[in-house]
Amino acid sequence: MATFTPPAADAVRGRLLLAARDEFAAVGLVNARIERIGAAAGSNKAQVFHYFGSKEGLFDALVAQTVDTTLAEVPLDVGDLAEWAGRLHDVAVARPWLPRLLTWHRLERAEASPLPTISERSAELVAAVEHAQRAGVVPRSYRPAVLLGLVVHLAVFWSSTSAEYDALVRAVTPQRRRQVVVDAVGALLGR
């Protein structure tokens, strides 16, 4: 008789995060259903609560993981912020759920306590931009946090436009869209 081997905790947690990503990106936090997430992960509602404590805990863990993963894949390059924005644009295009998830976070969790992981990562990025400004690598035309915010928003510009606006710029090819991001950040930096 075969013995039952339970799945590794990390595998279950990972499947729950993956299923949650699709659910939350599609319908947001408020309309997401734990039962659907559990079923999609081959798990159940009880496991969501075991690993994350609540639907909000799962959402927050997913957002924090997404930011960490993205920044690990596309580390900040203060020596070439324009190209860094281009790489960030590439990630947003390759993962259409990413801008959606972060938009839902901004809309539905604005009143919640800031996520420590994201606060820490943001502070590190701003400090790196400030250091680059002091070293003369990056212009001081904007405060470091403002400059970083502008660069990030330009990077995800194409991924966050409305369907109505997208119809107006449909002729702009994917390669050109990336170049627009790089050029716009370059212009922002006075190049």
Side-chain angles (χ1 to χ4, degrees):
M1 176 178 197
T3 59
F4 172 72
T5 305
D10 287 346
V12 173
R13 190 176 191 282
R15 286 195 318 271
L16 287 168
L17 285 165
L18 183 61
R21 180 197 77 190
D22 295 339
E23 176 80 5
F24 288 135
V27 299
L29 174 61
V30 172
N31 292 316
R33 296 291 169 255
I34 296 287
E35 295 81 7
R36 284 193 302 251
I37 293 169
S43 186
N44 58 49
K45 182 178 179 177
Q47 292 289 34
V48 171
F49 289 101
H50 170 73
Y51 287 107
F52 303 101
S54 66
K55 181 168 70 166
E56 291 78 9
L58 173 58
F59 185 77
D60 290 349
L62 176 63
V63 170
Q65 178 197 49
T66 299
V67 169
D68 272 347
T69 302
T70 302
L71 291 176
E73 187 176 329
V74 187
L76 179 65
D77 180 0
V78 292
D80 193 350
L81 281 175
E83 185 52 36
W84 178 72
R87 289 192 305 276
L88 200 56
H89 161 83
D90 295 343
V91 169
V93 169
R95 300 178 185 142
W97 53 265
L98 182 120
R100 290 181 59 86
L101 180 65
L102 296 177
T103 298
W104 283 118
H105 178 260
R106 181 175 45 81
L107 293 172
E108 296 185 322
R109 294 296 280 162
E111 302 299 319
S113 298
L115 298 176
T117 302
I118 295 176
S119 295
E120 291 165 14
R121 294 302 299 266
S122 297
E124 292 167 7
L125 296 175
V126 170
V129 171
E130 182 177 15
H131 181 74
Q133 286 179 322
R134 289 180 187 206
V137 175
V138 174
R140 294 182 180 219
S141 49
Y142 297 96
R143 294 174 56 98
V146 172
L147 179 60
L148 181 65
L150 290 169
V151 171
V152 168
H153 284 281
L154 285 168
V156 298
F157 168 74
W158 297 105
S159 300
S160 60
T161 60
S162 68
E164 296 81 6
Y165 184 77
D166 201 43
L168 299 172
V169 291
R170 190 166 285 134
V172 182
T173 66
Q175 297 82 6
R176 180 67 186 131
R177 288 180 179 213
R178 185 190 199 282
Q179 191 59 50
V180 166
V181 168
V182 171
D183 292 347
V185 172
L188 179 68
L189 298 172
R191 293 186 188 158

